[in-house]
Amino acid sequence: MRAPAAGRRGWRKMETAAGAATAAATAAYGAGKAGGAFDPFTFIRQPQTIVRAVSWIFSIVVFGSIINEGYVNRPNEIEEHCIFNRNASACNYGITIGALAFFGCLAFLTLDAYFPQISSVKDRKKAVLGDIGFSACWSFLWFVSFCFLTNQWQVTNLAEDNPLKEGADAARAAITFSFFSIFTWGYQVLLAMDHLKDITFSEEYNKLFPAQLA
């Protein structure tokens, strides 16, 4: 016994609406259709691209400031020491975290550009979960960097160790942009979590409405 025409039309409308919803969901992050072509203009305007670029610049400021002006010497000494309370660990930490964040931003920007070519929902999900984990980790590490550098700067004896206050602005810049980086990386976590919801919806849709052979 065939289903009434009205019932079939209603089912088609429901499936079409669900398809439109999942298409909109998978368009998040500029992904568009799986396997779609890369659109540089759409990519540049994406929120996560902008935030990653800002985070990338902040990381350069942090490790660049410490490398260029983060080591000073006393007037009666030749050997240079870390400007943060002569604590080499403070400078090494700031440089390491900043440099790794620099390369991390480049890696995830590359992944974002390649994302439209990923056709598997499971692979997309793994990529976004990796984004969430890395961004959350680096947001925490930037918090540690801010606290560590601030503490060491507060106990630094400028009158004795750096009477000319050379590199003081660089030290403050490293602290300031470590603080800003906490929020830029944290915002990347929120964007990735929102993206994960879209991908999860697509995954559930594919289970409910599997692709039919023509």
Side-chain angles (χ1 to χ4, degrees), residues 83 153 155-166 168 172:
I83 195 172
W153 183 244
V155 298
T156 298
N157 187 348
L158 289 177
E160 181 179 350
D161 297 335
N162 188 14
L164 298 179
K165 297 183 179 180
E166 296 176 336
R172 296 188 187 97

Side-chain angles (χ1 to χ4, degrees), residues 91-206:
C91 284
N92 291 338
Y93 184 88
I95 293 171
T96 301
I97 295 302
L100 291 177
F102 172 86
F103 290 111
C105 286
L106 291 180
F108 278 101
L109 280 170
T110 303
L111 178 61
D112 290 341
Y114 178 71
F115 200 84
Q117 310 300 323
I118 303 176
S119 58
S120 171
V121 174
K122 290 184 178 180
D123 290 341
R124 289 186 171 207
K125 195 171 184 179
K126 290 178 182 178
V128 176
L129 286 173
D131 187 3
I132 293 174
F134 188 87
S135 299
C137 177
W138 242 253
S139 181
F140 172 74
L141 291 177
W142 279 122
F143 173 75
V144 174
S145 176
F146 169 71
C147 294
F148 188 20
L149 297 182
T150 300
N151 173 261
Q152 292 302 299
W153 183 244
Q154 287 176 338
V155 298
T156 298
N157 187 348
L158 289 177
E160 181 179 350
D161 297 335
N162 188 14
L164 298 179
K165 297 183 179 180
E166 296 176 336
D169 290 339
R172 296 188 187 97
I175 293 172
T176 300
F177 285 93
S178 291
F179 178 75
F180 290 159
S181 294
I182 299 171
F183 300 99
T184 58
W185 285 91
Y187 188 50
Q188 289 182 59
V189 175
L190 296 178
L191 290 173
M193 290 180 66
D194 188 53
H195 189 201
L196 182 62
K197 293 178 183 178
D198 295 335
I199 293 178
T200 302
F201 175 82
S202 300
E203 191 174 32
E204 293 298 324
Y205 171 80
N206 290 337

Side-chain angles (χ1 to χ4, degrees), residues 61-89:
V61 173
V62 174
F63 77 79
S65 297
I66 297 175
I67 290 175
N68 291 329
E69 300 183 56
Y71 292 88
V72 296
N73 60 292
R74 292 174 178 173
N76 59 344
E77 293 180 346
I78 298 177
E79 183 181 0
E80 294 183 336
H81 295 273
C82 177
I83 195 172
F84 294 98
N85 196 33
R86 299 170 69 90
N87 185 346
S89 296

